[in-house]
Amino acid sequence: MVRLATASLVGTAIEFFDFFVYGTAAALVLGPLFFPTFSPLAGTLAAFGTFAIGFVARPLGSVLFGHVGDRYGRRPVLFASLLLTGCATVAVGCVPTYETIGIAAPLLLLTLRFLQGLGLGGEWGGAVLLTAEHAPANRRALWASFPQIGPAVGFLLANGVMLALTAGLSDADFRSWGWRVPFWAAGVLAAAGLLLRSSLAETPQFEELSASGRRASAPLTEIVRDHWRLVLLTAGALAVGYAVFYTVSTWALAYGTERLGVSSTVMLTCVMAAVAVKGAATPFVALLADRWGRRPLCLAGCAASALWMFPMVALLHTAEPLLMFLGFLGSLLAFITMFAVIAAYLPELYEPRVRCTGAAVGYNLAGVLGGALTPIVATTLSDGGSGPPWGVAAYLTVVALISLGCFALLPETLPARSEAVEAAPA
């Protein structure tokens, strides 16, 4: 389990490094380089638009790779998704700017971002199922939480490299070539991840499905026909997590640097410190889920998000590093109270024959609802005025309340409780 969990964590960290480094570049530099004819606000919105395309591609990737995972095994998904994302990320670092090739530059950027999202849409389902289907039932949430640490590690790597580059290079050098370095580094990381995953075994549950001939011939068809309500509920439930995370990690960077005049180094440091604490807390929250259940923690995380959004915006608007860090930290602790749990929760909600497709589609559809639109909506709502952007806080609070309602309609799946319910008299 340690070897499996480590391989899942490392692979997920690499893929999210690829995904996050684009988000940071979009907040800091892509607007003027690829959309120079736009106003500063319009350029930022356009850069966030290419950022959003990655989220639109993720459900498509979950359908494509989910079919592979349910038909041919969880293991092939891990290789194909990592290879696709890594190659697309390296290519982003090689795209000439608008000044060199004109309109072809943002079009290439858009295409490569789509391929990034396609690969990441498959990664999560494969990595989570690899650990969840090997793990003992009484520690499933703990072991399945390791891939959920991967995004924090990937974020810290991506932004750590960006922080070092912005601090060590002049602004002209960073805009000229420095921003490309993290994208090129993705190739080395992807090669290391593929090597680490080369010795992993297929999951016992998939081998059992193969031996009994019960593999789904058309997983997506079964999901749409038999589990559509569950997919919509899980997508709605998880939307708040994406909205909160990308408000902190993407929109806040742009808002702090462009509107508040805080240096990008200070903003990145505040966000990275909060993400580091969030990553460290992940396995401890997962242990609580193995003890008390998945649904209670998800409900608590949603409620905390709804209560914290206005204080977070107020703390951000102070432009004081310590206060901004506290605002980000409260938001991300509410986020991880949900997202440390869902790596076990989502697979348990779906039957094994369509689990890779169902869990991944629900997870990545939530990314479209909460992650793709949030930086754009938040940037629009925060335009104009000198006071705190309360419209952003109101938007996030509404998303949190909708997600709270969706979680309330989902059942508990903690193995001990589920078995007790099934054994009880009608």
Side-chain angles (χ1 to χ4, degrees), residues 291-319:
R291 176 67 180 86
W292 301 107
R294 288 58 161 132
R295 187 167 167 269
L297 287 173
C298 291
L299 292 171
C302 274
S305 297
L307 294 171
W308 187 248
M309 291 304 96
F310 278 90
M312 186 273 289
V313 165
L315 292 169
L316 168 63
H317 193 71
T318 66

Side-chain angles (χ1 to χ4, degrees), residues 17 153-166 182 268 272:
F17 169 88
V153 176
F155 183 88
L156 292 173
L157 283 174
N159 287 278
V161 172
M162 282 291 192
L163 181 61
L165 290 168
T166 55
L268 283 171
M272 286 172 62

Side-chain angles (χ1 to χ4, degrees), residues 222-262:
E222 290 192 32
I223 288 293
V224 172
R225 184 186 64 224
D226 302 328
H227 304 288
W228 62 269
R229 182 177 179 272
L230 181 58
V231 169
L232 294 179
L233 281 177
T234 53
L238 299 178
V240 63
Y242 281 98
V244 168
F245 187 85
Y246 286 100
T247 294
V248 170
S249 65
T250 302
W251 170 77
L253 282 178
Y255 182 81
T257 54
E258 295 173 8
R259 291 290 304 280
L260 302 179
V262 182

Side-chain angles (χ1 to χ4, degrees), residues 237-394:
L238 299 178
V240 63
Y242 281 98
V244 168
F245 187 85
Y246 286 100
T247 294
V248 170
S249 65
T250 302
W251 170 77
L253 282 178
Y255 182 81
T257 54
E258 295 173 8
R259 291 290 304 280
L260 302 179
V262 182
S263 73
S264 58
T265 301
V266 171
M267 290 302 303
L268 283 171
T269 302
C270 292
V271 175
M272 286 172 62
V275 170
V277 177
K278 183 266 292 185
T282 302
F284 298 100
V285 176
L287 279 172
L288 295 177
D290 278 326
R291 176 67 180 86
W292 301 107
R294 288 58 161 132
R295 187 167 167 269
L297 287 173
C298 291
L299 292 171
C302 274
S305 297
L307 294 171
W308 187 248
M309 291 304 96
F310 278 90
M312 186 273 289
V313 165
L315 292 169
L316 168 63
H317 193 71
T318 66
E320 293 291 334
L322 179 59
L323 296 179
M324 290 192 297
F325 163 73
L326 292 175
F328 298 154
L329 180 61
S331 301
L332 293 184
L333 289 179
F335 160 84
I336 204 58
T337 303
M338 297 173 280
F339 271 57
V341 175
I342 56 146
Y345 195 18
L346 259 64
E348 289 170 347
L349 287 168
Y350 293 90
E351 56 182 309
R353 58 185 279 114
V354 295
R355 180 174 286 160
C356 195
T357 301
V361 168
Y363 182 85
N364 288 298
L365 187 58
V368 177
L369 300 175
L373 298 177
T374 293
I376 298 172
V377 172
T379 300
T380 303
L381 291 174
S382 60
D383 181 39
S386 58
W390 299 124
V392 176

Side-chain angles (χ1 to χ4, degrees), residues 43-280:
T44 300
L45 285 171
F48 282 153
T50 63
F51 173 77
I53 289 297
F55 286 97
V56 175
R58 284 173 65 169
L60 299 177
S62 64
V63 170
L64 172 64
F65 289 105
H67 181 87
V68 174
D70 286 324
R71 284 291 299 156
Y72 306 105
R74 319 317 190 192
R75 192 170 175 268
V77 172
L78 298 176
F79 289 92
S81 61
L82 183 56
L83 183 64
L84 175 60
T85 307
C87 290
T89 305
V90 172
V92 169
C94 301
V95 175
T97 62
Y98 185 94
E99 185 180 0
T100 304
I101 60 172
I103 193 64
L107 291 177
L108 281 172
L109 203 64
L110 201 66
T111 301
L112 293 171
R113 179 60 174 175
F114 181 86
L115 294 176
Q116 264 194 331
L118 206 66
L120 191 63
E123 164 66 22
W124 187 84
V128 162
L129 292 190
L130 185 75
T131 50
E133 292 188 346
H134 274 99
N138 66 330
R139 283 291 179 264
R140 186 175 294 135
L142 173 62
W143 289 113
S145 73
F146 277 77
Q148 296 299 83
I149 302 173
V153 176
F155 183 88
L156 292 173
L157 283 174
N159 287 278
V161 172
M162 282 291 192
L163 181 61
L165 290 168
T166 55
L169 298 175
S170 67
D171 186 64
D173 284 341
F174 179 74
R175 290 176 179 272
S176 174
W177 58 268
W179 69 271
R180 299 180 184 273
V181 173
F183 293 93
W184 296 335
V188 178
L189 295 175
L194 290 170
L195 181 64
L196 182 62
R197 288 180 165 183
S198 61
S199 61
L200 297 179
E202 188 52 78
T203 70
Q205 290 190 18
F206 182 79
E207 290 182 339
E208 182 183 340
L209 285 172
S210 298
S212 62
R214 292 186 292 111
R215 287 178 298 171
S217 58
L220 181 61
T221 301
E222 290 192 32
I223 288 293
V224 172
R225 184 186 64 224
D226 302 328
H227 304 288
W228 62 269
R229 182 177 179 272
L230 181 58
V231 169
L232 294 179
L233 281 177
T234 53
L238 299 178
V240 63
Y242 281 98
V244 168
F245 187 85
Y246 286 100
T247 294
V248 170
S249 65
T250 302
W251 170 77
L253 282 178
Y255 182 81
T257 54
E258 295 173 8
R259 291 290 304 280
L260 302 179
V262 182
S263 73
S264 58
T265 301
V266 171
M267 290 302 303
L268 283 171
T269 302
C270 292
V271 175
M272 286 172 62
V275 170
V277 177
K278 183 266 292 185

Side-chain angles (χ1 to χ4, degrees), residues 399-415:
V399 174
L401 293 174
I402 292 172
S403 292
L404 185 67
C406 291
F407 271 124
L409 295 174
L410 290 173
E412 178 57 73
T413 61
L414 183 67

